Amino acid sequence: MCYKNFGVSYESYTNKYMLEMETLSPLIKLDPDGIVGHIET
């Protein structure tokens, strides 16, 4: 699978007020009328 952002499937951001954890879906080509879903568990 090809992931953008240096090949990672997970990112986190922090500052003195919060911690954000985020999963990323693989990079895909999508048709103009196509849809995609990404499920986090």
Side-chain angles (χ1 to χ4, degrees), residues 1-16:
M1 290 187 192
C2 179
Y3 291 90
K4 207 170 171 173
N5 299 342
F6 306 107
V8 298
S9 62
Y10 174 85
E11 293 180 339
S12 60
Y13 304 92
T14 62
N15 64 27
K16 66 182 189 177

Side-chain angles (χ1 to χ4, degrees), residues 4-41:
K4 207 170 171 173
N5 299 342
F6 306 107
V8 298
S9 62
Y10 174 85
E11 293 180 339
S12 60
Y13 304 92
T14 62
N15 64 27
K16 66 182 189 177
Y17 301 109
M18 62 135 201
L19 166 64
E20 177 183 336
M21 298 178 287
E22 178 177 300
T23 59
L24 306 171
S25 66
L27 187 62
I28 62 166
K29 256 188 186 180
L30 192 60
D31 293 329
D33 60 344
I35 60 170
V36 67
H38 179 75
I39 299 172
E40 294 182 338
T41 57

